[in-house]
Amino acid sequence: MNNPLDTVPAPSATAILPLDRLALRGADGDPALVLRGETLSYKDLRSRVSRLAAWLRAQVDEDGARIATWAAKGELTCLMPLVTARARLVHVPVNPLLKRAQVGHILADSGARLLIGTPARLASLEDGDVPEDCRTIGEAEALGEAAAMNADLAESSSDPNELAAILYTSGSTGKPKGVMLSHANMWLGAESVATYLGLAPDDRTLAVLPLSFDYGQNQLLSTWYAGACAIPLDYLTPRDVVKAVERHGVTTLAAVPPLWVQLTEQDWPAAVAASLRRLTNSGGALTPDLVRRLRVLFPQARLFAMYGLTEAFRSTFLDPALIDTHPTSMGKAIPHAEILVVNDAGEIAADDEEGELVHCGPLVAQGYWQDAARTAERYKPAPAASRYGGMAVWSGDRVRRDAGGLLYFVGRRDAMIKSAGNRISPQEIEEAALATGLVAEAVALGIADERLGRAVRLIVRAAPGHADAEERLPSILLQELPNFMQPKVIHWREAMPIGPNGKIDRTGLYAELAA
């Protein structure tokens, strides 16, 4: 499966290999992955990848077939990006927080041939959720069969432009859409981040972010690119993160702003805080107050503020030396990315002129899976001023660039909600509410929230004949939507405000709730 968009060559100094060869970069005896009850060396990691890939290829012997995983962090979910690459298959990681309706959409849309998950999650699926040609198997059973088979699969010889993964992400409208990532996209993303973070073999990365997100997955890949060690953690409370940093001697921690807020409220022993060499943030902007709190709590750590979008992986980072003086800046382009600001006239914006952020270069993904229309909306030819040319991601984000080249976020064109690092489609929440039959109209908005960045507020008008709607709607939404999509508040209205165009006045509702 070659890139349907124009392929942009990477810088010639960078050797791009099939993704499964990331496992070759660490020394045999060095620790690569800390699991519950065991630590895998790089030699162990390579062996497990080879063995699981051989088993997987025996299950689905078709180049480019999609393999979905729906499980918490563990051996399977951590290894699968390399395993599917070795087996010349395509990985579709499913957010473990999603409910059956979203999972069913992803399985059908991706055409997945196999779903590997935890038994409890698989048991929650109902008739019709899993396509007829998609088989399901528990993760423990899959690992057990692979161990019993005890076969190996040689390194792949995939073209770096071949499809390696489909990551499903919410946009402002409709159901999640699959972003297609090639081996080159993921390899160069790992190399880029490992380089500008300065990761080294003696680093230990605590992977707390979901592995179904590009930011979360890169925690593993950039760590392994550097020959360092990754420690995956599914935490229940912020205190669990503090304990894990202490227990494992963690040096690198990535998080989103709501988690950073919670972590600054914890009691950090001085020696534990001092073990952290770098902190990285994406999925929402850091506030000046939060920057100050992090700098006081972790004075020895370098704080990296970053911006990214799944359609092009990561775009910018701020030099930690500038975080105290420019706490609200997105920084400049990361290695292998070219970031242009294009004004409304289609020209490169002047200093301090607002424009759209356009991401060019080899980190640009291959478009949306089987969705030419939405691909054409977001992926367009790069501006004439681009040194890369080819296709670029026109982000829809409004930014400005100062005279020193630093970028600053201004706002978004679309209505997508970013809450606790999650991208949430307002339409998906509205459709879930309307599908209950309890409401006649629904509007979902993201309102500024100190802990979440943006909190979901749902404004609804009850359908006639449903006096119990206010009581029943929250419990139904709990069943149908994942936790991160749940409205923080549901506002009930006798009538919705109507704008001049005859449509619901979303702008007026937003202004009212944000006041």
Side-chain angles (χ1 to χ4, degrees):
M1 290 188 178
N2 291 325
N3 193 340
L5 305 178
D6 293 344
T7 299
V8 179
S12 58
T14 300
I16 307 172
L17 299 174
L19 188 61
D20 62 297
R21 301 196 194 184
L22 270 178
L24 302 178
R25 298 186 60 84
D28 278 0
D30 285 352
L33 182 65
V34 176
L35 300 171
R36 291 183 180 180
E38 65 175 331
T39 296
L40 303 186
S41 67
Y42 271 91
K43 182 177 181 180
D44 297 329
L45 180 69
R46 290 189 277 270
S47 176
R48 300 281 179 96
V49 167
S50 176
R51 186 174 69 190
L52 191 53
W55 171 83
L56 188 58
R57 187 68 198 203
Q59 310 307 306
V60 183
D61 189 16
E62 176 191 344
D63 284 359
R66 276 73 63 201
I67 309 298
T69 52
W70 189 30
K73 295 190 187 87
E75 179 179 347
L76 177 85
T77 50
C78 289
L79 299 187
M80 194 57 69
L82 305 186
V83 168
T84 49
R86 174 69 58 91
R88 301 197 71 163
L89 301 168
V90 176
H91 186 210
V92 183
V94 178
N95 187 339
L97 297 179
L98 294 185
K99 301 292 180 70
R100 47 163 291 273
Q102 292 84 34
V103 177
H105 164 72
I106 291 172
L107 294 177
D109 188 71
S110 67
R113 294 285 306 281
L114 181 67
L115 170 62
I116 311 174
T118 50
R121 289 183 173 87
L122 296 180
S124 72
L125 297 171
E126 299 179 4
D127 291 343
D129 290 338
V130 181
E132 291 184 1
D133 58 351
C134 179
R135 187 165 68 91
T136 63
I137 185 173
E139 62 174 328
E141 184 180 355
L143 292 171
E145 287 186 6
M149 183 176 169
N150 197 27
D152 289 302
L153 191 64
E155 298 166 13
S156 74
S157 56
S158 299
D159 182 323
N161 286 315
E162 287 183 10
L163 186 61
I166 303 174
L167 302 188
Y168 276 80
T169 179
S170 291
S172 59
T173 60
K175 295 180 179 179
K177 52 188 182 294
V179 176
M180 299 186 290
L181 301 178
S182 68
H183 291 257
N185 290 148
M186 300 173 75
W187 181 281
L188 288 173
E191 189 266 352
S192 178
V193 174
T195 298
Y196 73 73
L197 291 185
L199 294 176
D202 65 343
D203 274 309
R204 298 173 72 84
T205 300
L206 187 65
V208 301
L209 300 173
L211 302 181
S212 55
F213 293 175
D214 59 333
Y215 184 27
Q217 196 162 109
N218 184 263
Q219 297 169 111
L220 297 176
L221 301 183
S222 59
T223 297
W224 290 336
Y225 186 94
C229 180
I231 303 105
L233 175 71
D234 282 319
Y235 66 94
L236 294 177
T237 69
R239 186 64 189 162
D240 296 335
V241 177
V242 179
K243 292 178 180 178
V245 171
E246 180 174 20
R247 182 165 59 252
H248 298 291
V250 170
T251 64
T252 305
L253 180 60
V256 294
L259 178 55
W260 286 126
V261 170
Q262 294 177 323
L263 291 177
T264 60
E265 296 169 348
Q266 303 303 305
D267 180 20
W268 285 81
V272 177
S275 72
L276 288 166
R277 299 172 183 171
R278 62 187 67 77
L279 314 173
T280 76
N281 175 78
S282 192
L286 293 170
T287 64
D289 177 66
L290 184 52
V291 168
R292 285 191 292 269
R293 290 158 65 185
L294 288 169
R295 297 287 288 130
V296 169
L297 189 55
F298 307 103
Q300 298 96 333
R302 302 173 72 206
L303 176 56
F304 289 82
M306 306 185 298
Y307 160 91
L309 58 162
T310 306
E311 290 83 356
F313 173 58
R314 190 78 44 76
S315 296
T316 69
F317 81 99
L318 180 67
D319 184 337
L322 301 176
I323 192 70
D324 293 326
T325 55
H326 299 77
T328 61
S329 175
M330 300 159 54
K332 299 181 179 181
I334 69 172
H336 306 313
E338 178 186 34
I339 304 302
L340 302 177
V341 183
V342 180
N343 64 21
D344 293 339
E347 301 172 345
I348 301 301
D351 291 347
D352 291 318
E353 180 185 10
E354 181 183 319
E356 181 174 1
L357 184 148
V358 179
H359 181 129
C360 315
L363 297 179
V364 171
Q366 297 184 339
Y368 299 120
W369 172 257
Q370 294 187 334
D371 197 334
R374 284 202 283 187
T375 295
E377 292 174 0
R378 183 58 59 91
Y379 293 85
K380 303 174 184 177
S386 170
R387 70 178 185 273
Y388 282 102
M391 301 303 287
V393 175
W394 294 67
S395 69
D397 286 346
R398 306 292 289 180
V399 302
R400 65 176 179 85
R401 183 191 62 249
D402 69 15
L406 293 178
L407 295 164
Y408 294 83
F409 185 83
V410 176
R412 285 198 60 82
R413 273 187 183 160
D414 63 34
M416 186 193 70
I417 301 168
K418 265 198 171 181
S419 179
N422 298 291
R423 293 176 54 161
I424 300 172
S425 165
Q427 184 173 323
E428 192 170 355
I429 298 173
E430 293 162 6
E431 289 175 349
L434 294 169
T436 66
L438 298 174
V439 300
E441 293 178 307
V443 172
L445 299 172
I447 303 299
D449 183 270
E450 182 178 351
R451 303 187 73 83
L452 300 175
R454 293 276 167 179
V456 176
R457 300 279 194 95
L458 182 63
I459 307 96
V460 295
R461 178 173 64 82
H466 289 284
D468 59 349
E470 190 167 349
E471 178 184 351
R472 293 175 57 200
L473 182 61
S475 60
I476 296 178
L477 292 180
L478 279 173
Q479 296 174 354
E480 297 299 324
L481 293 173
N483 291 341
F484 63 84
M485 285 189 183
Q486 295 297 324
K488 183 175 182 179
V489 180
I490 300 178
H491 303 269
W492 293 85
R493 298 293 177 89
E494 293 293 328
M496 291 289 199
I498 303 299
N501 59 3
K503 298 180 180 179
I504 294 176
D505 184 6
R506 291 172 177 265
T507 302
L509 284 171
Y510 181 88
E512 177 186 336
L513 295 180

